[in-house]
mmCIF file of all heavy atoms in Angstrom:
data_model
loop_
_atom_site.group_PDB
_atom_site.id
_atom_site.type_symbol
_atom_site.label_atom_id
_atom_site.label_comp_id
_atom_site.label_asym_id
_atom_site.label_seq_id
_atom_site.Cartn_x
_atom_site.Cartn_y
_atom_site.Cartn_z
ATOM 1 N N GLU A 212 -6.788 11.434 1.289
ATOM 2 C CA GLU A 212 -5.693 10.942 0.444
ATOM 3 C C GLU A 212 -5.245 9.582 1.001
ATOM 4 O O GLU A 212 -4.708 9.567 2.084
ATOM 5 C CB GLU A 212 -4.500 11.871 0.414
ATOM 6 C CG GLU A 212 -3.339 11.420 -0.411
ATOM 7 C CD GLU A 212 -2.104 12.246 -0.233
ATOM 8 O OE1 GLU A 212 -1.307 11.920 0.679
ATOM 9 O OE2 GLU A 212 -1.914 13.193 -1.004
ATOM 10 N N ASP A 213 -5.577 8.484 0.342
ATOM 11 C CA ASP A 213 -5.169 7.147 0.764
ATOM 12 C C ASP A 213 -3.995 6.788 -0.091
ATOM 13 O O ASP A 213 -3.868 7.130 -1.255
ATOM 14 C CB ASP A 213 -6.287 6.170 0.568
ATOM 15 C CG ASP A 213 -7.561 6.596 1.188
ATOM 16 O OD1 ASP A 213 -7.537 7.144 2.305
ATOM 17 O OD2 ASP A 213 -8.640 6.385 0.589
ATOM 18 N N ARG A 214 -3.117 5.903 0.476
ATOM 19 C CA ARG A 214 -1.931 5.483 -0.314
ATOM 20 C C ARG A 214 -1.496 4.108 0.095
ATOM 21 O O ARG A 214 -1.651 3.685 1.244
ATOM 22 C CB ARG A 214 -0.800 6.464 -0.134
ATOM 23 C CG ARG A 214 -0.144 6.388 1.238
ATOM 24 C CD ARG A 214 1.055 7.150 1.414
ATOM 25 N NE ARG A 214 0.695 8.545 1.362
ATOM 26 C CZ ARG A 214 1.561 9.497 1.329
ATOM 27 N NH1 ARG A 214 2.850 9.273 1.282
ATOM 28 N NH2 ARG A 214 1.175 10.755 1.343
ATOM 29 N N LEU A 215 -0.894 3.394 -0.850
ATOM 30 C CA LEU A 215 -0.183 2.179 -0.665
ATOM 31 C C LEU A 215 1.108 2.330 -1.388
ATOM 32 O O LEU A 215 1.193 2.914 -2.501
ATOM 33 C CB LEU A 215 -0.920 0.946 -1.224
ATOM 34 C CG LEU A 215 -2.244 0.601 -0.540
ATOM 35 C CD1 LEU A 215 -3.002 -0.507 -1.263
ATOM 36 C CD2 LEU A 215 -1.972 0.191 0.902
ATOM 37 N N GLY A 216 2.192 1.798 -0.876
ATOM 38 C CA GLY A 216 3.501 1.916 -1.497
ATOM 39 C C GLY A 216 4.425 0.768 -1.227
ATOM 40 O O GLY A 216 4.206 0.017 -0.218
ATOM 41 N N VAL A 217 5.424 0.660 -2.038
ATOM 42 C CA VAL A 217 6.473 -0.317 -1.838
ATOM 43 C C VAL A 217 7.754 0.303 -2.385
ATOM 44 O O VAL A 217 7.680 1.132 -3.297
ATOM 45 C CB VAL A 217 6.107 -1.666 -2.566
ATOM 46 C CG1 VAL A 217 5.966 -1.483 -4.055
ATOM 47 C CG2 VAL A 217 7.093 -2.727 -2.252
ATOM 48 N N GLY A 218 8.897 -0.110 -1.829
ATOM 49 C CA GLY A 218 10.124 0.466 -2.287
ATOM 50 C C GLY A 218 11.343 -0.065 -1.586
ATOM 51 O O GLY A 218 11.239 -1.031 -0.797
ATOM 52 N N ILE A 219 12.483 0.568 -1.841
ATOM 53 C CA ILE A 219 13.682 0.158 -1.215
ATOM 54 C C ILE A 219 14.428 1.388 -0.643
ATOM 55 O O ILE A 219 14.291 2.526 -1.146
ATOM 56 C CB ILE A 219 14.658 -0.587 -2.165
ATOM 57 C CG1 ILE A 219 15.004 0.314 -3.361
ATOM 58 C CG2 ILE A 219 14.078 -1.880 -2.614
ATOM 59 C CD1 ILE A 219 16.096 -0.271 -4.233
ATOM 60 N N LEU A 220 15.141 1.203 0.447
ATOM 61 C CA LEU A 220 16.025 2.157 1.039
ATOM 62 C C LEU A 220 17.443 1.696 0.841
ATOM 63 O O LEU A 220 17.684 0.500 0.984
ATOM 64 C CB LEU A 220 15.703 2.361 2.542
ATOM 65 C CG LEU A 220 14.340 2.853 2.938
ATOM 66 C CD1 LEU A 220 14.108 2.665 4.435
ATOM 67 C CD2 LEU A 220 14.209 4.337 2.563
ATOM 68 N N PHE A 221 18.339 2.616 0.483
ATOM 69 C CA PHE A 221 19.712 2.201 0.230
ATOM 70 C C PHE A 221 20.660 3.343 0.618
ATOM 71 O O PHE A 221 20.190 4.477 0.901
ATOM 72 C CB PHE A 221 19.936 1.713 -1.166
ATOM 73 C CG PHE A 221 19.522 2.717 -2.239
ATOM 74 C CD1 PHE A 221 20.444 3.516 -2.818
ATOM 75 C CD2 PHE A 221 18.174 2.775 -2.632
ATOM 76 C CE1 PHE A 221 20.061 4.445 -3.797
ATOM 77 C CE2 PHE A 221 17.800 3.715 -3.643
ATOM 78 C CZ PHE A 221 18.752 4.497 -4.227
ATOM 79 N N GLY A 222 21.926 3.086 0.605
ATOM 80 C CA GLY A 222 22.929 4.056 1.001
ATOM 81 C C GLY A 222 23.464 3.663 2.397
ATOM 82 O O GLY A 222 22.875 2.782 3.071
ATOM 83 N N PRO A 223 24.579 4.263 2.822
ATOM 84 C CA PRO A 223 25.219 3.886 4.023
ATOM 85 C C PRO A 223 24.307 4.061 5.292
ATOM 86 O O PRO A 223 24.428 3.321 6.218
ATOM 87 C CB PRO A 223 26.433 4.786 4.172
ATOM 88 C CG PRO A 223 26.493 5.566 2.913
ATOM 89 C CD PRO A 223 25.341 5.275 2.072
ATOM 90 N N ARG A 224 23.417 5.038 5.272
ATOM 91 C CA ARG A 224 22.512 5.292 6.383
ATOM 92 C C ARG A 224 21.071 5.039 5.938
ATOM 93 O O ARG A 224 20.139 5.508 6.546
ATOM 94 C CB ARG A 224 22.639 6.748 6.877
ATOM 95 C CG ARG A 224 23.992 7.077 7.484
ATOM 96 C CD ARG A 224 24.036 8.519 7.930
ATOM 97 N NE ARG A 224 23.956 9.473 6.813
ATOM 98 C CZ ARG A 224 22.999 10.272 6.602
ATOM 99 N NH1 ARG A 224 21.911 10.366 7.373
ATOM 100 N NH2 ARG A 224 22.964 11.093 5.536
ATOM 101 N N TYR A 225 20.870 4.346 4.848
ATOM 102 C CA TYR A 225 19.550 4.095 4.250
ATOM 103 C C TYR A 225 18.879 5.446 4.016
ATOM 104 O O TYR A 225 17.693 5.606 4.229
ATOM 105 C CB TYR A 225 18.676 3.207 5.118
ATOM 106 C CG TYR A 225 19.241 1.831 5.263
ATOM 107 C CD1 TYR A 225 19.723 1.355 6.492
ATOM 108 C CD2 TYR A 225 19.365 1.017 4.206
ATOM 109 C CE1 TYR A 225 20.225 0.098 6.647
ATOM 110 C CE2 TYR A 225 19.877 -0.314 4.310
ATOM 111 C CZ TYR A 225 20.329 -0.705 5.517
ATOM 112 O OH TYR A 225 20.840 -1.961 5.664
ATOM 113 N N GLN A 226 19.613 6.421 3.555
ATOM 114 C CA GLN A 226 19.078 7.754 3.339
ATOM 115 C C GLN A 226 18.435 7.973 1.986
ATOM 116 O O GLN A 226 17.715 8.909 1.755
ATOM 117 C CB GLN A 226 20.171 8.815 3.558
ATOM 118 C CG GLN A 226 21.218 8.888 2.472
ATOM 119 C CD GLN A 226 22.463 8.000 2.698
ATOM 120 O OE1 GLN A 226 22.352 6.959 3.285
ATOM 121 N NE2 GLN A 226 23.552 8.424 2.204
ATOM 122 N N TYR A 227 18.659 7.058 1.010
ATOM 123 C CA TYR A 227 18.049 7.154 -0.286
ATOM 124 C C TYR A 227 16.826 6.219 -0.414
ATOM 125 O O TYR A 227 16.872 5.108 0.131
ATOM 126 C CB TYR A 227 19.041 6.851 -1.421
ATOM 127 C CG TYR A 227 20.270 7.726 -1.363
ATOM 128 C CD1 TYR A 227 21.495 7.203 -0.932
ATOM 129 C CD2 TYR A 227 20.155 9.086 -1.739
ATOM 130 C CE1 TYR A 227 22.609 8.023 -0.912
ATOM 131 C CE2 TYR A 227 21.311 9.884 -1.636
ATOM 132 C CZ TYR A 227 22.499 9.339 -1.249
ATOM 133 O OH TYR A 227 23.642 10.164 -1.175
ATOM 134 N N GLU A 228 15.833 6.669 -1.156
ATOM 135 C CA GLU A 228 14.606 5.879 -1.257
ATOM 136 C C GLU A 228 14.138 5.880 -2.713
ATOM 137 O O GLU A 228 14.139 6.924 -3.391
ATOM 138 C CB GLU A 228 13.547 6.511 -0.406
ATOM 139 C CG GLU A 228 12.214 5.862 -0.427
ATOM 140 C CD GLU A 228 11.265 6.528 0.593
ATOM 141 O OE1 GLU A 228 11.684 7.281 1.480
ATOM 142 O OE2 GLU A 228 10.050 6.256 0.468
ATOM 143 N N LEU A 229 13.786 4.697 -3.204
ATOM 144 C CA LEU A 229 13.171 4.550 -4.523
ATOM 145 C C LEU A 229 11.936 3.709 -4.367
ATOM 146 O O LEU A 229 11.999 2.594 -3.785
ATOM 147 C CB LEU A 229 14.123 3.884 -5.481
ATOM 148 C CG LEU A 229 13.631 3.537 -6.880
ATOM 149 C CD1 LEU A 229 13.192 4.820 -7.644
ATOM 150 C CD2 LEU A 229 14.608 2.716 -7.665
ATOM 151 N N GLY A 230 10.783 4.220 -4.791
ATOM 152 C CA GLY A 230 9.561 3.507 -4.542
ATOM 153 C C GLY A 230 8.430 3.799 -5.513
ATOM 154 O O GLY A 230 8.540 4.659 -6.370
ATOM 155 N N TYR A 231 7.401 3.019 -5.346
ATOM 156 C CA TYR A 231 6.157 3.150 -6.140
ATOM 157 C C TYR A 231 5.035 3.467 -5.142
ATOM 158 O O TYR A 231 4.970 2.859 -4.039
ATOM 159 C CB TYR A 231 5.785 1.846 -6.861
ATOM 160 C CG TYR A 231 4.377 1.731 -7.265
ATOM 161 C CD1 TYR A 231 3.913 2.408 -8.377
ATOM 162 C CD2 TYR A 231 3.464 1.046 -6.509
ATOM 163 C CE1 TYR A 231 2.565 2.304 -8.746
ATOM 164 C CE2 TYR A 231 2.128 0.992 -6.823
ATOM 165 C CZ TYR A 231 1.720 1.611 -7.999
ATOM 166 O OH TYR A 231 0.319 1.597 -8.341
ATOM 167 N N ARG A 232 4.155 4.370 -5.493
ATOM 168 C CA ARG A 232 2.964 4.703 -4.673
ATOM 169 C C ARG A 232 1.719 4.694 -5.516
ATOM 170 O O ARG A 232 1.722 5.280 -6.624
ATOM 171 C CB ARG A 232 3.062 6.067 -4.019
ATOM 172 C CG ARG A 232 4.028 6.111 -2.877
ATOM 173 C CD ARG A 232 3.957 7.420 -2.139
ATOM 174 N NE ARG A 232 5.055 7.577 -1.236
ATOM 175 C CZ ARG A 232 5.555 8.710 -0.840
ATOM 176 N NH1 ARG A 232 4.995 9.875 -1.283
ATOM 177 N NH2 ARG A 232 6.591 8.755 -0.042
ATOM 178 N N LEU A 233 0.677 4.160 -4.978
ATOM 179 C CA LEU A 233 -0.688 4.298 -5.521
ATOM 180 C C LEU A 233 -1.318 5.316 -4.580
ATOM 181 O O LEU A 233 -1.493 5.031 -3.372
ATOM 182 C CB LEU A 233 -1.428 2.972 -5.504
ATOM 183 C CG LEU A 233 -2.916 3.125 -5.797
ATOM 184 C CD1 LEU A 233 -3.182 3.729 -7.140
ATOM 185 C CD2 LEU A 233 -3.594 1.759 -5.621
ATOM 186 N N ILE A 234 -1.719 6.461 -5.105
ATOM 187 C CA ILE A 234 -2.367 7.502 -4.296
ATOM 188 C C ILE A 234 -3.809 7.667 -4.793
ATOM 189 O O ILE A 234 -4.044 7.798 -6.015
ATOM 190 C CB ILE A 234 -1.590 8.834 -4.391
ATOM 191 C CG1 ILE A 234 -0.191 8.653 -3.838
ATOM 192 C CG2 ILE A 234 -2.335 9.918 -3.623
ATOM 193 C CD1 ILE A 234 0.688 9.829 -4.034
ATOM 194 N N HIS A 235 -4.773 7.660 -3.911
ATOM 195 C CA HIS A 235 -6.175 7.731 -4.248
ATOM 196 C C HIS A 235 -6.775 8.940 -3.506
ATOM 197 O O HIS A 235 -6.676 9.050 -2.304
ATOM 198 C CB HIS A 235 -6.886 6.441 -3.805
ATOM 199 C CG HIS A 235 -8.340 6.534 -3.974
ATOM 200 N ND1 HIS A 235 -8.995 6.435 -5.216
ATOM 201 C CD2 HIS A 235 -9.350 6.590 -3.061
ATOM 202 C CE1 HIS A 235 -10.290 6.524 -5.018
ATOM 203 N NE2 HIS A 235 -10.549 6.615 -3.725
ATOM 204 N N PHE A 236 -7.350 9.877 -4.275
ATOM 205 C CA PHE A 236 -8.067 11.015 -3.737
ATOM 206 C C PHE A 236 -9.568 10.732 -3.802
ATOM 207 O O PHE A 236 -10.061 10.384 -4.877
ATOM 208 C CB PHE A 236 -7.751 12.295 -4.513
ATOM 209 C CG PHE A 236 -6.358 12.751 -4.322
ATOM 210 C CD1 PHE A 236 -5.412 12.543 -5.317
ATOM 211 C CD2 PHE A 236 -5.952 13.495 -3.209
ATOM 212 C CE1 PHE A 236 -4.103 13.004 -5.180
ATOM 213 C CE2 PHE A 236 -4.701 13.931 -3.070
ATOM 214 C CZ PHE A 236 -3.739 13.713 -4.054
ATOM 215 N N SER A 237 -10.270 10.861 -2.697
ATOM 216 C CA SER A 237 -11.702 10.542 -2.647
ATOM 217 C C SER A 237 -12.323 11.310 -1.468
ATOM 218 O O SER A 237 -11.648 11.568 -0.479
ATOM 219 C CB SER A 237 -11.880 9.079 -2.407
ATOM 220 O OG SER A 237 -13.230 8.744 -2.100
ATOM 221 N N ASN A 238 -13.593 11.625 -1.590
ATOM 222 C CA ASN A 238 -14.266 12.292 -0.460
ATOM 223 C C ASN A 238 -14.942 11.292 0.470
ATOM 224 O O ASN A 238 -15.621 11.688 1.413
ATOM 225 C CB ASN A 238 -15.233 13.400 -0.943
ATOM 226 C CG ASN A 238 -16.427 12.859 -1.700
ATOM 227 O OD1 ASN A 238 -17.015 11.833 -1.313
ATOM 228 N ND2 ASN A 238 -16.809 13.520 -2.774
ATOM 229 N N GLY A 239 -14.829 10.010 0.187
ATOM 230 C CA GLY A 239 -15.430 9.011 1.073
ATOM 231 C C GLY A 239 -16.922 9.073 1.168
ATOM 232 O O GLY A 239 -17.492 8.713 2.178
ATOM 233 N N TYR A 240 -17.529 9.525 0.103
ATOM 234 C CA TYR A 240 -19.018 9.704 0.037
ATOM 235 C C TYR A 240 -19.560 10.687 1.075
ATOM 236 O O TYR A 240 -20.682 10.538 1.559
ATOM 237 C CB TYR A 240 -19.712 8.371 0.102
ATOM 238 C CG TYR A 240 -19.451 7.561 -1.124
ATOM 239 C CD1 TYR A 240 -18.566 6.510 -1.113
ATOM 240 C CD2 TYR A 240 -20.143 7.788 -2.290
ATOM 241 C CE1 TYR A 240 -18.293 5.755 -2.240
ATOM 242 C CE2 TYR A 240 -19.904 7.099 -3.443
ATOM 243 C CZ TYR A 240 -18.966 6.055 -3.399
ATOM 244 O OH TYR A 240 -18.721 5.334 -4.504
ATOM 245 N N LEU A 241 -18.717 11.709 1.435
ATOM 246 C CA LEU A 241 -19.184 12.762 2.319
ATOM 247 C C LEU A 241 -19.914 13.836 1.473
ATOM 248 O O LEU A 241 -20.583 14.704 2.007
ATOM 249 C CB LEU A 241 -18.034 13.381 3.062
ATOM 250 C CG LEU A 241 -17.374 12.427 4.080
ATOM 251 C CD1 LEU A 241 -16.189 13.108 4.735
ATOM 252 C CD2 LEU A 241 -18.364 11.915 5.076
ATOM 253 N N ALA A 242 -19.796 13.752 0.161
ATOM 254 C CA ALA A 242 -20.506 14.651 -0.758
ATOM 255 C C ALA A 242 -21.421 13.751 -1.632
ATOM 256 O O ALA A 242 -21.288 12.527 -1.614
ATOM 257 C CB ALA A 242 -19.527 15.422 -1.645
ATOM 258 N N GLN A 243 -22.326 14.377 -2.345
ATOM 259 C CA GLN A 243 -23.245 13.571 -3.186
ATOM 260 C C GLN A 243 -22.557 12.856 -4.308
ATOM 261 O O GLN A 243 -22.997 11.789 -4.720
ATOM 262 C CB GLN A 243 -24.337 14.492 -3.727
ATOM 263 C CG GLN A 243 -25.323 14.955 -2.668
ATOM 264 C CD GLN A 243 -26.455 15.813 -3.265
ATOM 265 O OE1 GLN A 243 -26.416 16.209 -4.400
ATOM 266 N NE2 GLN A 243 -27.452 16.058 -2.459
ATOM 267 N N VAL A 244 -21.545 13.407 -4.857
ATOM 268 C CA VAL A 244 -20.730 12.802 -5.943
ATOM 269 C C VAL A 244 -19.370 12.453 -5.407
ATOM 270 O O VAL A 244 -18.750 13.177 -4.683
ATOM 271 C CB VAL A 244 -20.627 13.809 -7.135
ATOM 272 C CG1 VAL A 244 -19.808 13.186 -8.230
ATOM 273 C CG2 VAL A 244 -22.016 14.203 -7.639
ATOM 274 N N ASN A 245 -18.880 11.269 -5.777
ATOM 275 C CA ASN A 245 -17.528 10.817 -5.315
ATOM 276 C C ASN A 245 -16.914 9.999 -6.404
ATOM 277 O O ASN A 245 -16.803 8.740 -6.285
ATOM 278 C CB ASN A 245 -17.696 10.008 -4.047
ATOM 279 C CG ASN A 245 -16.382 9.577 -3.445
ATOM 280 O OD1 ASN A 245 -15.354 10.222 -3.676
ATOM 281 N ND2 ASN A 245 -16.328 8.425 -2.877
ATOM 282 N N GLN A 246 -16.422 10.606 -7.459
ATOM 283 C CA GLN A 246 -15.821 9.864 -8.581
ATOM 284 C C GLN A 246 -14.350 9.531 -8.238
ATOM 285 O O GLN A 246 -13.845 8.539 -8.724
ATOM 286 C CB GLN A 246 -15.914 10.625 -9.874
ATOM 287 C CG GLN A 246 -17.346 10.634 -10.352
ATOM 288 C CD GLN A 246 -17.516 11.308 -11.685
ATOM 289 O OE1 GLN A 246 -16.706 12.114 -12.133
ATOM 290 N NE2 GLN A 246 -18.583 10.923 -12.382
ATOM 291 N N GLY A 247 -13.630 10.315 -7.454
ATOM 292 C CA GLY A 247 -12.302 10.048 -7.052
ATOM 293 C C GLY A 247 -11.324 10.031 -8.211
ATOM 294 O O GLY A 247 -11.709 10.070 -9.370
ATOM 295 N N ILE A 248 -10.017 9.968 -7.864
ATOM 296 C CA ILE A 248 -8.980 9.910 -8.840
ATOM 297 C C ILE A 248 -7.794 9.116 -8.242
ATOM 298 O O ILE A 248 -7.518 9.281 -7.090
ATOM 299 C CB ILE A 248 -8.593 11.314 -9.353
ATOM 300 C CG1 ILE A 248 -7.730 11.207 -10.601
ATOM 301 C CG2 ILE A 248 -7.916 12.117 -8.265
ATOM 302 C CD1 ILE A 248 -7.705 12.506 -11.391
ATOM 303 N N ASN A 249 -7.096 8.318 -9.082
ATOM 304 C CA ASN A 249 -5.940 7.581 -8.680
ATOM 305 C C ASN A 249 -4.718 8.084 -9.418
ATOM 306 O O ASN A 249 -4.802 8.465 -10.543
ATOM 307 C CB ASN A 249 -6.123 6.077 -9.006
ATOM 308 C CG ASN A 249 -7.287 5.447 -8.251
ATOM 309 O OD1 ASN A 249 -7.499 5.761 -7.076
ATOM 310 N ND2 ASN A 249 -8.007 4.584 -8.901
ATOM 311 N N LEU A 250 -3.566 7.940 -8.717
ATOM 312 C CA LEU A 250 -2.273 8.231 -9.340
ATOM 313 C C LEU A 250 -1.298 7.110 -9.064
ATOM 314 O O LEU A 250 -1.232 6.676 -7.934
ATOM 315 C CB LEU A 250 -1.666 9.562 -8.789
ATOM 316 C CG LEU A 250 -2.414 10.840 -9.104
ATOM 317 C CD1 LEU A 250 -1.774 11.981 -8.336
ATOM 318 C CD2 LEU A 250 -2.335 11.155 -10.620
ATOM 319 N N HIS A 251 -0.653 6.660 -10.058
ATOM 320 C CA HIS A 251 0.436 5.661 -9.925
ATOM 321 C C HIS A 251 1.755 6.447 -10.108
ATOM 322 O O HIS A 251 2.007 7.021 -11.169
ATOM 323 C CB HIS A 251 0.326 4.589 -11.007
ATOM 324 C CG HIS A 251 -0.957 3.897 -10.946
ATOM 325 N ND1 HIS A 251 -1.156 2.767 -10.186
ATOM 326 C CD2 HIS A 251 -2.129 4.064 -11.630
ATOM 327 C CE1 HIS A 251 -2.372 2.321 -10.310
ATOM 328 N NE2 HIS A 251 -3.032 3.101 -11.211
#
């Protein structure tokens, strides 16, 4: 599971978070087939 993200922290202790993540599931060609899937 690979990911890249960006976002902001806010609140008096920076306890709240709002962000975007690109998550990629892949077997890294450890199997014969590796079509993978991405989530935004």
